[in-house]
Amino acid sequence: MKDLTFETLIAVFEEIFGFGLFWAMVAAAALVTVAFVYVLIRDRNLESRRLVRAELLAPVGAIAAIWFVQAMTSSGFRDIGGPIDVIVLIGIGVAGGVGLTILSYVAQALAGGPQRR
């Protein structure tokens, strides 16, 4: 594989997660992103209380993302072979932590209604 293209990455992710699960995760991420933008437009800023509460779930999201990817790839920590594997593992953890933080913030904002001034 000489070139790393967007199509190659999609094919690799579809192979790892399966066609249906991969596109379901993409759709869920898009839906949460749209909901987050809606909340930002509706409230016109971030509310610090909601954000702090949402950030408390970041470690849970990071651990869940790492566990999920390792379960889907049938690998474990003993299979980490070098620095790039550690970098990818950290990236997966960061993505999971940020994703759960945003999801939690959106859920709090939608359940609690518009922010009061």
Side-chain angles (χ1 to χ4, degrees):
M1 184 169 80
K2 291 182 179 180
D3 298 326
L4 183 62
T5 64
F6 187 67
E7 292 81 14
T8 303
L9 285 175
I10 289 177
V12 168
F13 289 136
E14 284 180 349
E15 182 68 27
I16 291 172
F17 298 112
F19 182 82
L21 179 60
F22 171 71
W23 288 108
M25 290 189 308
V26 169
L31 182 67
V32 170
T33 302
V34 168
F36 184 67
V37 170
Y38 166 75
V39 167
L40 285 179
I41 291 171
R42 182 190 73 180
D43 294 345
R44 293 190 177 96
N45 62 2
L46 292 173
E47 185 181 347
S48 61
R49 286 184 187 176
R50 289 180 186 157
L51 186 59
V52 169
R53 279 182 277 181
E55 287 173 346
L56 292 174
L57 290 176
V60 174
I63 292 168
I66 291 169
W67 174 81
F68 177 72
V69 169
Q70 291 212 351
M72 293 304 292
T73 59
S74 299
S75 64
F77 291 110
R78 68 186 177 284
D79 300 320
I80 295 175
I84 190 63
D85 292 336
V86 174
I87 292 169
V88 169
L89 193 67
I90 291 169
I92 290 168
V94 168
V98 169
L100 189 59
T101 299
I102 292 172
L103 176 64
S104 176
Y105 184 88
V106 167
Q108 290 177 64
L110 292 177
Q115 153 183 349
R116 295 174 187 89
R117 293 187 183 224

